[in-house]
Amino acid sequence: MKWTHALGLALVLGGLLVGLTVYQKSLTPYRSFKEARETRGTVQVHGTLAPASAQYDGKELVFRIKDVASPDEMQVVYTDVKPGNFDQARDIVAIGTYRDGAFHAEKLLIKCPSKYQEMQDKQKKTGGDPV
């Protein structure tokens, strides 16, 4: 094998390794509230907004979400602009890390309740699963 072929093969393998590492770091797994509290890395948690729990002072949004699979609740701290549809939020996915007794969200995904209302209306009309 010529040294140029070996160098080319090493560069391709190095590129693949870097690509896989970057891809793996970009994946953010869903975790239960209990698992999120025990995990040091970035995770996603899914829950429903606890009624009358949101407080926003212009800099920080603090609220509680309930786990969809258990009666567990978690405080979420989000230090960015309050999402426009947050007040109508039903389901929330928070992406971030758990530390200092709260989940610190870097991103919030607010599920629009009107979309689900339309799906429920279609389901009631057809008597089956919405498409």
Side-chain angles (χ1 to χ4, degrees), residues 89-103:
R90 191 175 86 188
D91 288 345
I92 296 174
V93 174
I95 302 169
T97 56
Y98 187 86
R99 64 180 187 277
D100 303 328
F103 190 83

Side-chain angles (χ1 to χ4, degrees), residues 9-90:
L9 182 63
L11 288 174
V12 168
L13 291 176
L16 285 173
L17 183 64
V18 169
L20 286 173
T21 303
V22 169
Y23 176 72
Q24 188 176 15
K25 285 184 178 182
S26 70
L27 296 176
T28 309
Y30 273 99
R31 296 287 187 231
S32 69
F33 287 11
K34 181 182 176 191
E35 291 171 334
R37 287 182 181 106
E38 297 168 352
T39 303
R40 291 186 176 195
T42 301
V43 296
Q44 297 185 49
V45 293
H46 175 222
T48 57
L49 180 63
S53 67
Q55 296 176 352
Y56 183 62
D57 63 2
K59 295 180 183 175
E60 188 175 82
L61 175 63
V62 179
F63 58 95
R64 298 191 68 76
I65 56 174
K66 295 180 180 181
D67 193 357
V68 293
S70 72
D72 198 6
E73 282 192 10
M74 178 184 287
Q75 184 177 26
V76 178
V77 177
Y78 181 65
T79 55
D80 204 342
V81 177
K82 182 180 175 182
N85 57 352
F86 184 81
D87 292 330
Q88 293 85 33
R90 191 175 86 188

